[in-house]
Amino acid sequence: MHRILLVFLAAAGASVLGLPRLNGSTAAVPCLAPPQWEGSWVLYDHSTGRNNRAAVSYDGLNQRIRILQQNKKHTPCQKFFEYIYLYQSMVMFQIDQKTKDCSKIALTEAWDPFDIPNNSTFEDQYIIGGPGDNVEVQEWSDRKPARQHETWVGVYTLKDCYPVQETYVRNSSVTTSTRFFNLRLGISDPDVFTPPSTCQSARPERMAESDC
C-alpha cells in the first residue's frame, strides 16, 4: 500500500478508472485505483515462508481495512484471526475467530492505500495469461535514479486499475508479496469494520498466531 496521491486521467479512449494504450509518443500516467473493493489476497511472507490467505474489505475513503484469515484445516496449531485496521483512529483490532477474544493495538504507521502514487516510475506493460484468456496490466515502482533498488513494485490492471500484485523490498531483500484476486467494487456490508462487543474489554497485547 502506498501514499494517497491519486491522478484522474483525461485522455481520449481512457475509461473512468483506466489508462489509454501506450504508443510511441504517449507517456504512461498512473491510473486511479478503485477506492473501495472487496475480494481476496494471498500474502507471502518471505521471512517465514508462509502464505496467508484472507478475505479482504478495503475502504480507502475512510482509511480502513478488514482482513478475515481463511481457516485451513491442514495447518495444525494455527489460530485464525479477523483484523480490523482503523487508520483514522490509529488502532487495530485482532479478533480470534473461534473464541472471539480481542486485542486492541495502536498503529504506528500512517495510512498507505492500495494505489499507484503519481510520482511512480513506469516499468512495463504486458499481458497476463494467453490468447482469449488474458488481462493487460502495467507495472510500476518507486525506483528513482539516485536509488539503486526499488522498495515497492505494483502491478495493476490496465482497464480499471485493480491491484494484481504488490511486492515490498527492504535492504535489497523481498519481504512480502501480495496477490489479489476475485475483486469486486464497493463494500457490501459496512458493519465488517465495526469491532465485536468483546473488543470493549480488549487486551492491549497482540495474541499469538499458534497454540503450539
Side-chain angles (χ1 to χ4, degrees):
M1 298 186 288
H2 328 289
R3 283 80 46 198
I4 188 164
L5 300 172
L6 305 178
V7 161
F8 283 96
L9 302 176
S15 67
V16 174
L17 294 174
L19 288 172
R21 290 180 177 273
L22 297 179
N23 56 46
S25 60
T26 303
V29 179
C31 59
L32 176 65
Q36 292 180 320
W37 51 259
E38 294 177 321
S40 300
W41 74 26
V42 177
L43 188 151
Y44 179 67
D45 187 326
H46 292 253
S47 63
T48 64
R50 175 179 295 176
N51 281 301
N52 295 292
R53 301 176 183 273
V56 181
S57 298
Y58 170 78
D59 182 5
L61 297 178
N62 296 293
Q63 299 184 1
R64 53 189 186 175
I65 302 174
R66 184 253 195 168
I67 300 169
L68 185 66
Q69 290 183 319
Q70 290 184 353
N71 192 332
K72 296 296 183 180
K73 302 297 184 181
H74 59 268
T75 50
C77 304
Q78 185 176 349
K79 293 182 178 180
F80 293 91
F81 295 98
E82 175 184 4
Y83 295 92
I84 301 174
Y85 291 81
L86 305 176
Y87 278 88
Q88 290 183 348
S89 302
M90 291 303 290
V91 295
M92 182 270 284
F93 293 92
Q94 179 193 25
I95 303 105
D96 188 308
Q97 292 185 31
K98 184 178 181 179
T99 66
K100 302 304 178 183
D101 289 344
C102 181
S103 292
K104 181 180 179 181
I105 301 167
L107 294 172
T108 58
E109 296 184 1
W111 169 251
D112 194 10
F114 288 111
D115 68 359
I116 308 171
N118 64 358
N119 61 348
S120 298
T121 299
F122 175 74
E123 297 290 354
D124 203 357
Q125 181 171 314
Y126 48 85
I127 290 174
I128 296 176
D133 187 11
N134 58 64
V135 60
E136 197 163 8
V137 300
Q138 286 189 338
E139 183 177 300
W140 296 80
S141 78
D142 64 351
R143 178 172 55 88
K144 296 293 181 285
R147 184 186 298 158
Q148 185 175 4
H149 301 287
E150 63 271 11
T151 62
W152 163 80
V153 176
V155 178
Y156 282 74
T157 61
L158 180 65
K159 180 178 181 293
D160 289 322
C161 207
Y162 284 107
V164 175
Q165 181 167 339
E166 290 203 341
T167 301
Y168 281 91
V169 178
R170 180 175 297 173
N171 298 327
S172 302
S173 297
V174 175
T175 56
T176 59
S177 299
T178 307
R179 293 180 284 117
F180 304 83
F181 54 96
N182 294 338
L183 302 190
R184 54 196 179 275
L185 283 176
I187 303 296
S188 59
D189 182 10
D191 288 341
V192 298
F193 299 105
T194 302
S197 58
T198 52
C199 289
Q200 294 178 1
S201 57
R203 66 187 71 184
E205 67 278 353
R206 191 182 184 105
M207 287 178 277
E209 296 182 357
S210 175
D211 284 325
C212 297

